Amino acid sequence: MTTRRPIIAGNWKMNLGVAEGVALASEIRNRCSRFRDIDVVVAPAATSLYPVAQRLADSPIGVAAQNCHAEDKGAFTGELSPVQLADVGCRYVIVGHSERRALFGETDEGVGKKARALHDHGLIPIVCVGESLAEREAGETLDVVLRQLDAGLAGLQPDEIVRTVVAYEPVWAIGTGRTATPAQAQDVHAALRKRIAELASPAVADKVRLQYGGSVKPDNIAALMAQPDIDGALVGGASLTADSFARIVAYENKDA
Ligand code: PGA
């Protein structure tokens, strides 16, 4: 089995001004740059992408946007293209976050187009999938997440799937303080990896990094990361202070 490099990303959502974002990025840089065996990513609001990317430019910490449009340019008022996001220093873009699916009409097919466009410009998509509470209770979890996965990866070649990050975020665990148990998360991650093996190959599936997201905190990250198919986390609320985010990144280092 491949040893997958862990990846922890902080999704700041619609929080923090420029000065606050740059200050948080500086603290995260100070606290996290010494961890060399893990990829650390922050996803500021669009207004802070450029200054945060500048502040992190010569550090190992990557910058992600929280959304993009699939076209390179044109008459799409209010949107940002992968070209523009690469231009301001982004290396990653989160696509298909459940808030975008639920509140902004993002479709499975649209997420796939964005993932395709991001690879066209050398950016790494973080493709989010996840079921609602009603879907889980109806026993539809795997149907939902596998459908979202299929669509998200539909336009990608195997070498692009290898570079793509997939984040499993059960909607009922986001911002609720209710984390999936490590076993619940592992079950879904294992199913996602099996599907990637079918879509591409077992070798590809073995390399793809799968994040868990939904109320990840310093005190639950280690048990999640101990699961064989959980390779990282997408962190919302607990990424807004350097201390909690750094403690999540340092999950293996009790003295951090
Ligand atoms: P949360 O958000 O950690 O605040 O639950 C996770 C996310 O939405 O990515």
Side-chain angles (χ1 to χ4, degrees), residues 145-190:
V145 300
L146 296 179
R147 186 197 75 222
Q148 293 171 338
L149 181 76
D150 288 353
L153 304 184
L156 306 184
Q157 299 299 314
D159 62 314
E160 294 166 333
I161 294 177
V162 166
R163 291 196 298 279
T164 301
V165 176
V166 176
Y168 167 56
E169 298 202 300
V171 177
W172 47 272
I174 294 179
T176 59
R178 193 176 155 190
T179 328
T181 64
Q184 280 174 325
Q186 167 58 27
D187 284 350
V188 176
H189 281 230

Side-chain angles (χ1 to χ4, degrees), residues 62-244:
V63 175
Q66 299 173 13
N67 181 34
C68 70
H69 196 277
E71 300 294 328
D72 290 1
K73 62 177 179 175
F76 301 103
T77 302
E79 294 292 305
L80 293 169
S81 74
V83 179
Q84 293 173 310
L85 296 173
D87 186 41
V88 296
C90 292
R91 267 192 266 152
Y92 302 81
V93 180
I94 299 168
V95 291
H97 189 281
S98 66
E99 287 150 16
R100 296 219 53 88
R101 292 177 189 265
L103 305 173
F104 304 102
E106 191 124 336
T107 63
D108 294 344
E109 194 199 2
V111 173
K113 283 192 183 147
K114 292 178 182 191
R116 174 66 263 150
L118 289 167
H119 279 291
D120 286 339
H121 297 287
L123 290 161
I124 298 174
I126 300 176
V127 176
C128 300
V129 302
E131 82 289 2
S132 67
L133 186 58
E135 288 162 341
R136 173 161 285 261
E137 286 176 345
E140 293 166 1
T141 297
L142 293 185
D143 290 345
V144 171
V145 300
L146 296 179
R147 186 197 75 222
Q148 293 171 338
L149 181 76
D150 288 353
L153 304 184
L156 306 184
Q157 299 299 314
D159 62 314
E160 294 166 333
I161 294 177
V162 166
R163 291 196 298 279
T164 301
V165 176
V166 176
Y168 167 56
E169 298 202 300
V171 177
W172 47 272
I174 294 179
T176 59
R178 193 176 155 190
T179 328
T181 64
Q184 280 174 325
Q186 167 58 27
D187 284 350
V188 176
H189 281 230
L192 291 169
R193 200 176 302 286
K194 182 162 169 273
R195 182 64 139 242
I196 296 169
E198 288 157 13
L199 293 173
S201 71
V204 166
D206 198 34
K207 292 190 185 118
V208 176
R209 294 179 299 174
L210 304 180
Q211 294 178 316
Y212 168 79
S215 299
V216 172
K217 303 280 182 274
D219 64 1
N220 60 27
I221 181 71
L224 290 160
M225 292 299 288
Q227 300 299 312
D229 289 297
I230 299 183
D231 311 310
L234 182 54
V235 186
S239 72
L240 290 172
T241 65
D243 187 61
S244 58

